[in-house]
Amino acid sequence: MKMQFRSQRALIPLLATLFLLMGCGSEDERPPTFTYVYETILAPSCATIGCHNDFSQTYGFRFSTKEGAYLGLTGRACNDDAEIPGEPPGNYVRAGHPDRSLLLSLMRGDDVPRRMPPDRGLPEVDIALVEEWILEGAKCD
Amino acid sequence: MRLAESKDLPMAVTILAFLSVLLLTREARAYPQFQFSTDNVRCSQCHFNPTGGGLINAWGREEATDTISRGGDGDFFNGLVGSPGWLSLGADFRVVAGARFNEANGPDRLIFPMQADLYTRSAFGDFRINITLGIRGRARNNESPPHSRAVSREHYVMWQPKVTGAYLRAGRFYAPYGLRQVDHTNYIRRDLGFYAIEETYGVSGGYLKDDDWELHMSAFTRDPILNVGPEGSGFSVLYEKRFRDHKAAWGLQSKVQLAPDSATYWGGGVLKYWLGSIDVLVLSEIDIGVGTVDTPNADPILKGIAHLNLTHFITKGLMLGTTIEAKQSDFQLEGKDAESLTLSLQYFPKAHYELMLFAKAERTQQTSDLVSFLMFHYYL
């Protein structure tokens, strides 16, 4: 009985400490490159089984690889620096124009039938990083 | 055997009905809550898989009848259909009806088949072949092609001379790490590479020292066909040691995942503790991770997950679970944290049948989401 009590007491401060640490933070100094955006935001949030992986390809999107995600969003290959003639397919990402990029409206749930991801919204700090990447030319860097 | 049959079934049904109105719900698969609470010490006492989950063995079927459910016959087809000694068969079917609420998308109805899996396990001498074939559940309508519904979550060959002692396996399965909770939306599953259908290919070896401790080591790579889950390949180690007369356990785990443009290193611990005097099992896990991204000026990312699950065994066949989770995807950045609270009520009226009420509320700095459902589960 004594042992049970001790273990319970040990568990509470341990968890409390970790939960408190979860609130820490500072200004966003993360690089607005596509590699960073893909690895930390798009891949973990969009490439799950029922959504935009190579197998399900919901709405034709394949986010299982960086190259596939870039092609789907911008309409051009990752190693192709050519200017996009006219608007890109789907208008998901319009380089230099966050205001004309549907991806951001989808992420914020602004004027779209459904926010993405539908299960849980992305943190605004992540959406802002995607916005910065688009503003800086939406390169595959 | 520990769960005493109660005369308070009407009270239990009232609670169930009350919570079904009051609460809301979501999902399942393996049941780590039965470790210690049923006097079983190892997951492999009831499952063929050395780390639990999937097809249950003859002892597991007996426990399903005598200990976990309120009666019935847990045998395959209630014992009416036999199979040769070298072959074991089983199945899991789950159907869900409920709703999801969030401010951005409003209410969404959720009515869908969550799981339809058939299990086969063949034994030839010291070798075992385990195959799971099924149709994956789909929580929402989308345009994914019909062929993407068929899936084999697990298929592996295993060398296993005895249930305890050494084993070695190769194929597709989750590389053992931390708690194997039933709800795949838990942060300890979703954020650690154990989300739905994210089983990896690899080799795994381990040793089970009777009921005292077990060690599992794996080398894995993302499924190259489905391409689901974290990119790249890696290694993982899980060690679990029992104490307090096999009524509690602590564990340590570590995992490295290396991809062309990123690397993630996870380490953590697990504590499982059975409080017999109040029929509550405590399952907890903490993980700390460091991630790197191969791009200029990218600092390492420090992240963490905390998980606490309390399950109260109200009476035989009825258990109430509460899970609190918190995660921080980047300790150096404000707004990357999330918390969730899950309540579940599971009722096992007879062997082969389960009803589950599930409610999960999740909060981030920008959003709050609520998912609830009633799940019917039939296992063969």
Side-chain angles (χ1 to χ4, degrees):
Chain A
M1 202 61 179
K2 210 177 245 179
M3 215 167 159
Q4 280 182 15
F5 186 57
R6 270 200 218 121
S7 296
Q8 281 173 278
R9 285 185 63 177
L11 188 68
I12 292 163
L14 192 66
L15 285 168
T17 307
L18 197 76
F19 277 62
L20 280 174
L21 279 171
M22 306 255 162
C24 307
S26 63
E27 213 169 286
D28 192 355
E29 291 174 356
R30 297 177 297 170
T33 64
F34 188 67
T35 301
Y36 198 92
V37 164
Y38 172 76
E39 293 289 345
T40 61
I41 302 168
L42 300 178
S45 307
C46 313
T48 50
I49 183 67
C51 303
H52 308 299
N53 64 90
D54 282 359
F55 208 53
S56 297
Q57 296 179 34
T58 306
Y59 301 111
F61 281 107
R62 302 170 65 165
F63 281 22
S64 299
T65 61
K66 185 175 88 170
E67 291 74 18
Y70 190 79
L71 181 65
L73 290 172
T74 66
R76 60 183 173 180
C78 211
N79 52 6
D80 183 3
D81 291 332
E83 282 295 313
I84 304 169
E87 300 288 308
N91 248 353
Y92 290 101
V93 168
R94 185 72 180 142
H97 300 280
D99 53 324
R100 287 158 57 192
S101 298
L102 181 59
L103 176 64
L104 293 172
S105 301
L106 286 165
M107 287 176 164
R108 290 199 168 108
D110 293 340
D111 300 322
V112 290
R114 178 169 291 267
R115 182 201 65 195
M116 288 289 149
D119 297 0
R120 64 194 70 175
L122 290 170
E124 178 54 34
V125 70
D126 282 352
I127 301 173
L129 190 69
V130 175
E131 186 169 14
E132 200 179 339
W133 164 68
I134 295 173
L135 193 62
E136 291 190 6
K139 296 179 206 129
C140 188
D141 49 358
Chain B
M1 318 294 179
R2 172 67 70 171
L3 307 175
E5 184 121 30
S6 168
K7 293 169 186 161
D8 289 333
L9 184 61
M11 175 61 81
V13 173
T14 307
I15 292 169
L16 183 74
F18 176 69
L19 286 175
S20 69
V21 176
L22 190 66
L23 302 179
L24 311 154
T25 105
R26 185 153 180 166
E27 132 117 13
R29 208 132 303 156
Y31 295 92
Q33 286 81 1
F34 294 141
Q35 189 182 11
F36 304 129
S37 62
T38 58
D39 284 344
N40 289 290
V41 176
R42 287 176 282 108
C43 302
S44 56
Q45 274 174 264
C46 295
H47 291 270
F48 286 115
N49 186 334
T51 51
L55 187 60
I56 51 176
N57 57 28
W59 176 251
R61 290 183 181 280
E62 257 184 57
E63 287 293 87
T65 307
D66 299 335
T67 309
I68 291 162
S69 308
R70 297 189 64 83
D73 182 345
D75 282 347
F76 181 67
F77 272 118
N78 288 4
L80 298 173
V81 179
S83 61
W86 55 270
L87 180 66
S88 300
L89 301 167
D92 269 315
F93 303 99
R94 284 184 166 92
V95 182
V96 157
R100 181 199 311 280
F101 307 88
N102 63 51
E103 285 168 33
N105 295 339
D108 270 337
R109 260 187 320 170
L110 296 174
I111 299 174
F112 64 99
M114 178 181 272
Q115 184 186 17
D117 278 328
L118 301 174
Y119 306 104
T120 68
R121 184 251 190 192
S122 315
F124 308 100
D126 291 343
F127 289 89
R128 323 276 177 251
I129 299 173
N130 293 267
I131 299 172
T132 304
L133 291 171
I135 298 169
R136 69 177 173 84
R138 194 163 59 174
R140 63 185 71 89
N141 292 322
N142 56 31
E143 293 180 351
S144 55
H147 75 267
S148 73
R149 303 289 303 280
V151 71
S152 172
R153 295 168 197 273
E154 290 193 330
H155 36 265
Y156 59 85
V157 179
M158 181 163 63
W159 170 79
Q160 187 188 37
K162 288 196 306 177
V163 175
T164 54
Y167 78 91
L168 194 63
R169 59 177 163 163
R172 185 171 197 235
F173 51 88
Y174 283 124
Y177 180 95
L179 291 173
R180 185 176 176 151
Q181 283 286 23
V182 295
D183 177 3
H184 70 255
T185 66
N186 277 333
Y187 301 148
I188 55 167
R189 288 199 51 181
R190 184 180 175 119
D191 292 69
L192 291 171
F194 304 101
Y195 200 45
I197 327 285
E198 290 189 356
E199 286 92 343
T200 47
Y201 278 95
V203 292
S204 185
Y207 191 86
L208 287 77
K209 177 74 174 72
D210 302 320
D211 289 344
D212 297 337
W213 56 264
E214 51 191 81
L215 174 71
H216 308 276
M217 293 181 290
S218 312
F220 59 86
T221 188
R222 179 168 78 164
D223 183 327
I225 303 160
L226 298 179
N227 272 337
V228 178
E231 208 178 356
S233 307
F235 310 91
S236 69
V237 180
L238 169 66
Y239 174 77
E240 179 173 307
K241 167 84 176 156
R242 280 106 204 187
F243 63 101
R244 214 187 126 229
D245 197 22
H246 296 148
K247 287 292 178 193
W250 59 266
L252 291 172
Q253 64 263 6
S254 180
K255 180 178 174 180
V256 176
Q257 180 112 21
L258 305 167
D261 289 324
S262 66
T264 312
Y265 308 87
W266 284 103
V270 162
L271 179 68
K272 306 172 178 180
Y273 206 94
W274 171 239
L275 301 167
S277 56
I278 52 172
D279 288 330
V280 169
L281 181 71
V282 179
L283 297 173
S284 60
E285 176 172 341
I286 288 177
D287 295 284
I288 298 291
V290 177
T292 60
V293 180
D294 188 16
T295 192
N297 304 319
D299 292 331
I301 305 159
L302 180 63
K303 41 196 171 184
I305 300 173
H307 174 100
L308 175 65
N309 169 248
L310 304 174
T311 302
H312 174 42
F313 294 81
I314 299 166
T315 184
K316 187 179 179 186
L318 188 66
M319 58 191 203
L320 179 66
T322 306
T323 304
I324 302 168
E325 283 201 301
K327 71 169 177 176
Q328 174 55 272
S329 306
D330 191 339
F331 275 106
Q332 296 156 91
L333 202 59
E334 204 173 331
K336 291 279 280 176
D337 55 318
E339 294 95 31
S340 71
L341 170 69
T342 307
L343 297 171
S344 63
L345 189 67
Q346 285 159 276
Y347 181 48
F348 302 87
K350 279 175 73 176
H352 298 289
Y353 297 94
E354 177 196 358
L355 274 173
M356 182 192 198
L357 276 166
F358 180 100
K360 183 169 203 161
E362 184 169 16
R363 190 193 69 80
T364 65
Q365 202 174 68
Q366 286 77 35
T367 65
S368 54
D369 299 83
L370 186 63
V371 174
S372 70
F373 61 68
L374 174 66
M375 183 193 72
F376 172 69
H377 173 207
Y378 177 80
Y379 61 95
L380 194 57

